[in-house]
Amino acid sequence: MKPISIGAVVLVSVISIAVAGSYDYKDVLQKSLLFYEAQRSGKLPADQKVKWRKDSALKDKGQNGEDLTGGYFDAGDFVKFGFPMAFTTTILSWGLLDHHKGYESANSVSDCLKAIKWATDYFIKCHVSEYEYYGQVGSGTVDHAHWSRPEDMTEERPAYKITASQPAADLAGETAAAFAAASLVFRSTNSSYANTLLNHAKQMYDFAYKHRGLLTDAIPDSKCCYVSTHYEDELVWGAAWLYRATNDKTYLTYVDALWDSFKNMYGFDWDQKYAGAVVLLAKLTGDSKYKTAITNNCNYVFQQAARSNKGLLYLANWGPLRYAVNYAFVCLQAADLGINTQSYRTEAKKQLDYALGDAGRSYVIGFGNNPPTHAHHRAASCPDAPAVCNWDTYHGSQPNAHVLYGGMVGGPAKDDSFKDDRTDYQHTEVGCDYNACFQSMLAHFIELGN
Ligand SMILES: *[C@@H]1O[C@H](CO)[C@@H](O)[C@H](O)[C@H]1NC(C)=O
């Protein structure tokens, strides 16, 4: 990591106060990719740039001893939650697929391919047979009782799978979407890998469509952290991505069959796929039904949803920035289809720039003016061995030992206040899913020339 000189930091902060929105999006995009490197689990490759991270969780295994190393630690913890990891992968793929020029101008195409492949290589390992998929490694309750370096973990790391008799159509549907979107990404650079991904996508979709159930019932340990509410939205979203990857209209008949139970949903995040699905279907089919759905949803959120005093969309108190940038990204996709283009782009940029410093401080670690230094992130908080790292480290007032470049934290309270405190995980934690739409939106604005 190239250290940033003090002079540059001062310069950036002066500019960001003087001219709202004049941020170096390419720099932030590159840093966001470093964040994904810092979340890597398993054996790290020789070209790993984030050197303070070490090999970890090398014994992650399935119930029959299958190798389940790799993938991403979810957030500030070390659990590998397949559900948000799949959403992250779908969104990173979407961003690279449709905003390739943005990644090109930031010289970040190959790093983004690596970020996507780090997840899909792991998903392939988890998909041990047609109707058998490991959706989580590590237990939320066990993992969250420890505070240590990832390479020093000694706690038990159980692996949980879904099967035809214990199904989770939300998890399988989102994973099908991730496989399909990633297959499109790799089509031009590695066609054999793209074909492998597409085969997994088709099988996972079939699994999801035929064997319905909720993740929280199939893998109750996920309830600590990710309570998924429906699966119809993932079935529609997955079908949309499969349709994009195959051109097979059968997938659109699945969308039609699901439409009545789906049409009154909302949201766009690790749980809710509504807005992403309708805007993607609008793009792929041009059908006015989908255009109307995304227009109504974006208009509602942009015009009527709660906001902080300084204009941040405030859809939830836990990780508000992530919900704001998710909507900003998805409505930017609508803008690209000619739907309220100028106003949606203006609003999306406002949300992005809030995270980068417009409200007086940066919420992206290692970037801009007064960024967070106490993110709720176990690995970054721990000094290098042999120094002790435990709950005293967690509760200490010292800044994190390592700079987790590019991680966007949860964000402010509704009054725009922010306490840079490791124990306030609703506002200072990071997450793989938090950075996904954020990074894709950066690529989009870079492509538009900011
Ligand atoms: C394509 O992906 C496969 C599977 O990861 C890998 O073994 C192979 O080296 C890749 N080929 C190229 C040209 O990158």
Side-chain angles (χ1 to χ4, degrees), residues 147-299:
W147 196 267
S148 72
R149 284 177 286 270
E151 60 271 23
D152 295 343
M153 263 191 287
T154 53
E155 56 269 28
E156 186 200 358
R157 289 178 64 78
Y160 305 91
K161 67 179 168 183
I162 58 170
T163 61
S165 58
Q166 189 111 327
D170 37 15
L171 170 64
E174 180 63 69
T175 309
F179 275 132
S183 82
L184 287 160
V185 162
F186 283 99
R187 204 168 264 183
S188 58
T189 54
N190 190 333
S191 58
S192 76
Y193 191 58
N195 287 337
T196 303
L197 294 173
L198 189 56
N199 288 335
H200 282 283
K202 290 178 190 165
Q203 274 197 1
M204 285 301 290
Y205 194 81
D206 181 58
F207 186 8
Y209 200 76
K210 288 187 181 148
H211 300 284
R212 302 198 185 175
L214 280 174
L215 174 63
T216 39
D217 296 325
I219 304 182
D221 194 274
S222 67
K223 278 188 211 161
C224 67
C225 311
Y226 293 97
V227 179
S228 165
T229 50
H230 312 95
Y231 52 72
E232 291 87 350
D233 51 339
E234 280 83 13
L235 288 176
V236 171
W237 169 241
W241 278 106
L242 260 301
Y243 174 60
R244 183 165 181 182
T246 61
N247 273 321
D248 179 349
K249 290 211 158 61
T250 311
Y251 291 108
L252 293 181
T253 67
Y254 297 159
V255 173
D256 293 338
L258 290 153
W259 187 253
D260 281 341
S261 46
F262 167 80
K263 68 179 183 214
N264 294 320
M265 291 189 179
Y266 55 86
F268 193 57
D269 53 63
W270 59 269
D271 179 24
Q272 313 291 346
K273 309 299 151 60
Y274 175 82
V278 290
V279 78
L280 183 61
L281 286 164
K283 178 185 169 97
L284 299 178
T285 68
D287 189 327
S288 60
K289 170 168 86 169
Y290 304 125
K291 285 190 178 166
T292 304
I294 191 62
T295 308
N296 289 344
N297 199 200
C298 289
N299 285 351

Side-chain angles (χ1 to χ4, degrees), residues 4 44 74 93 130 135 182 198 268 272 279 299 303 340 392 411:
I4 305 166
L44 302 179
D74 183 60
S93 299
E130 192 176 12
L198 189 56
F268 193 57
Q272 313 291 346
V279 78
N299 285 351
Q303 291 162 19
N340 298 324
D392 291 338

